[in-house]
Coordinates of all heavy atoms in Angstrom, one line a residue:
L7 N 0.9 -1.2 0.0 CA 0.0 0.0 0.0 C 0.9 1.2 0.0 O 1.6 1.5 1.0 CB -0.9 0.0 1.2 CG -1.9 -1.1 1.3 CD1 -2.8 -1.0 2.6 CD2 -2.8 -1.2 0.1
A8 N 1.0 1.9 -1.1 CA 2.0 3.0 -1.3 C 1.3 4.3 -1.0 O 0.1 4.5 -1.3 CB 2.5 3.0 -2.7
Y9 N 2.0 5.2 -0.3 CA 1.6 6.5 0.0 C 2.5 7.6 -0.6 O 2.2 8.8 -0.5 CB 1.4 6.7 1.5 CG 2.6 6.3 2.3 CD1 3.7 7.1 2.4 CD2 2.6 5.1 3.0 CE1 4.8 6.7 3.2 CE2 3.6 4.7 3.8 CZ 4.8 5.5 3.9 OH 5.8 5.1 4.6
A10 N 3.6 7.1 -1.2 CA 4.6 8.0 -1.8 C 5.1 7.4 -3.1 O 5.2 6.2 -3.2 CB 5.7 8.4 -0.8
V11 N 5.6 8.3 -4.0 CA 6.2 7.8 -5.2 C 7.3 8.8 -5.5 O 7.2 10.0 -5.4 CB 5.2 7.7 -6.4 CG1 4.6 9.0 -6.7 CG2 5.9 7.1 -7.6
D12 N 8.5 8.3 -5.9 CA 9.6 9.1 -6.3 C 10.0 10.2 -5.3 O 10.3 11.3 -5.6 CB 9.4 9.7 -7.7 CG 9.3 8.6 -8.7 OD1 9.8 7.5 -8.6 OD2 8.6 8.8 -9.7
G13 N 9.9 9.8 -4.0 CA 10.3 10.8 -2.9 C 9.2 11.8 -2.5 O 9.5 12.6 -1.6
G14 N 8.0 11.8 -3.1 CA 7.0 12.7 -2.7 C 5.7 12.0 -2.5 O 5.5 10.8 -3.0
L15 N 4.7 12.6 -1.9 CA 3.4 12.0 -1.7 C 2.7 11.7 -3.0 O 3.0 12.4 -4.0 CB 2.5 12.9 -0.8 CG 2.9 13.1 0.6 CD1 2.0 14.0 1.3 CD2 3.0 11.8 1.4
L16 N 1.9 10.7 -3.1 CA 1.1 10.4 -4.3 C 0.3 11.6 -4.7 O -0.3 12.4 -3.9 CB 0.2 9.2 -4.1 CG 0.9 7.9 -3.9 CD1 -0.2 6.9 -3.5 CD2 1.6 7.4 -5.2
R17 N 0.2 11.9 -6.0 CA -0.7 12.9 -6.5 C -2.1 12.6 -6.2 O -2.5 11.4 -6.0 CB -0.5 13.1 -8.0 CG 0.8 13.5 -8.5 CD 0.9 13.7 -10.0 NE 0.1 12.7 -10.7 CZ 0.6 11.7 -11.4 NH1 1.9 11.5 -11.5 NH2 -0.3 10.9 -12.1
A18 N -3.0 13.5 -6.3 CA -4.4 13.3 -6.0 C -5.1 12.3 -6.9 O -6.0 11.6 -6.5 CB -5.2 14.6 -6.1
D19 N -4.6 12.2 -8.1 CA -5.2 11.2 -9.1 C -4.7 9.8 -8.9 O -5.1 8.9 -9.5 CB -5.0 11.6 -10.5 CG -3.5 11.7 -10.9 OD1 -2.6 11.8 -10.1 OD2 -3.3 11.6 -12.2
E20 N -3.7 9.6 -7.9 CA -3.2 8.3 -7.6 C -3.5 7.9 -6.1 O -3.6 6.7 -5.8 CB -1.7 8.3 -7.7 CG -1.2 8.2 -9.1 CD 0.3 7.9 -9.2 OE1 1.1 8.8 -9.0 OE2 0.6 6.7 -9.3
G21 N -3.6 8.8 -5.2 CA -3.6 8.5 -3.8 C -4.9 9.0 -3.1 O -5.8 9.4 -3.8
P22 N -4.9 9.0 -1.8 CA -3.7 9.0 -1.0 C -3.0 7.6 -0.8 O -1.9 7.6 -0.4 CB -4.2 9.5 0.4 CG -5.7 9.1 0.4 CD -6.1 9.2 -1.0
L23 N -3.7 6.6 -1.1 CA -3.1 5.2 -1.1 C -3.3 4.6 -2.5 O -4.3 4.7 -3.1 CB -3.8 4.3 -0.1 CG -3.5 4.6 1.4 CD1 -4.2 3.7 2.3 CD2 -2.0 4.5 1.7
R24 N -2.3 3.8 -2.8 CA -2.3 3.0 -4.1 C -1.8 1.6 -3.8 O -0.7 1.5 -3.2 CB -1.5 3.7 -5.2 CG -1.4 2.9 -6.5 CD -0.6 3.7 -7.5 NE -0.6 2.9 -8.7 CZ -0.2 3.4 -9.9 NH1 0.2 4.6 -10.0 NH2 -0.3 2.6 -11.0
L25 N -2.6 0.6 -4.2 CA -2.1 -0.7 -4.2 C -1.2 -0.9 -5.3 O -1.5 -0.7 -6.5 CB -3.3 -1.7 -4.2 CG -2.9 -3.2 -4.4 CD1 -2.2 -3.7 -3.1 CD2 -4.1 -4.0 -4.7
V26 N 0.0 -1.4 -5.1 CA 1.0 -1.7 -6.1 C 1.5 -3.1 -5.9 O 1.9 -3.5 -4.8 CB 2.2 -0.7 -6.1 CG1 3.2 -1.0 -7.1 CG2 1.7 0.8 -6.2
V27 N 1.5 -3.9 -6.9 CA 2.1 -5.2 -6.9 C 3.1 -5.3 -8.0 O 2.7 -5.3 -9.2 CB 1.0 -6.3 -7.1 CG1 1.6 -7.7 -7.0 CG2 -0.1 -6.2 -6.0
A28 N 4.4 -5.3 -7.7 CA 5.4 -5.3 -8.7 C 5.3 -6.5 -9.6 O 4.9 -7.6 -9.1 CB 6.8 -5.2 -8.0
D29 N 5.7 -6.4 -10.8 CA 5.8 -7.5 -11.8 C 4.4 -8.2 -11.9 O 4.3 -9.3 -12.3 CB 6.8 -8.5 -11.4 CG 8.2 -8.0 -11.4 OD1 8.5 -7.1 -12.2 OD2 9.0 -8.3 -10.5
A30 N 3.3 -7.4 -11.7 CA 2.0 -8.0 -11.9 C 1.1 -6.9 -12.5 O 0.3 -6.3 -11.8 CB 1.4 -8.4 -10.5
P31 N 1.4 -6.6 -13.8 CA 0.6 -5.5 -14.4 C -0.9 -5.8 -14.3 O -1.4 -6.9 -14.3 CB 1.0 -5.7 -15.9 CG 2.3 -6.3 -15.9 CD 2.3 -7.2 -14.7
G32 N -1.6 -4.7 -14.1 CA -3.1 -4.8 -13.9 C -3.6 -5.0 -12.5 O -4.7 -4.9 -12.2
L33 N -2.6 -5.2 -11.5 CA -3.1 -5.4 -10.2 C -3.0 -4.1 -9.4 O -3.4 -4.0 -8.2 CB -2.3 -6.5 -9.4 CG -2.6 -7.9 -9.8 CD1 -1.9 -8.9 -8.9 CD2 -4.1 -8.2 -9.6
S34 N -2.4 -3.1 -10.0 CA -2.3 -1.8 -9.3 C -3.7 -1.1 -9.2 O -4.4 -1.1 -10.2 CB -1.3 -0.9 -10.0 OG -1.2 0.4 -9.4
V35 N -4.1 -0.6 -8.1 CA -5.3 0.1 -7.9 C -5.1 1.5 -7.3 O -4.6 1.6 -6.2 CB -6.3 -0.7 -7.0 CG1 -7.6 0.1 -6.8 CG2 -6.6 -2.1 -7.5

């Protein structure tokens, strides 16, 4: 459950939380 990307908080169109599953395209929410 990601709350930051590239050293900053997620943008409004991605967060505040984003589910990320590496090497599993399509599972990111």
Side-chain angles (χ1 to χ4, degrees):
L7 294 181
Y9 49 78
V11 62
D12 298 331
L15 294 177
L16 291 171
R17 297 183 323 254
D19 64 337
E20 283 192 276
L23 288 177
R24 178 178 181 165
L25 171 68
V26 180
V27 183
D29 298 324
L33 285 185
S34 180
V35 178

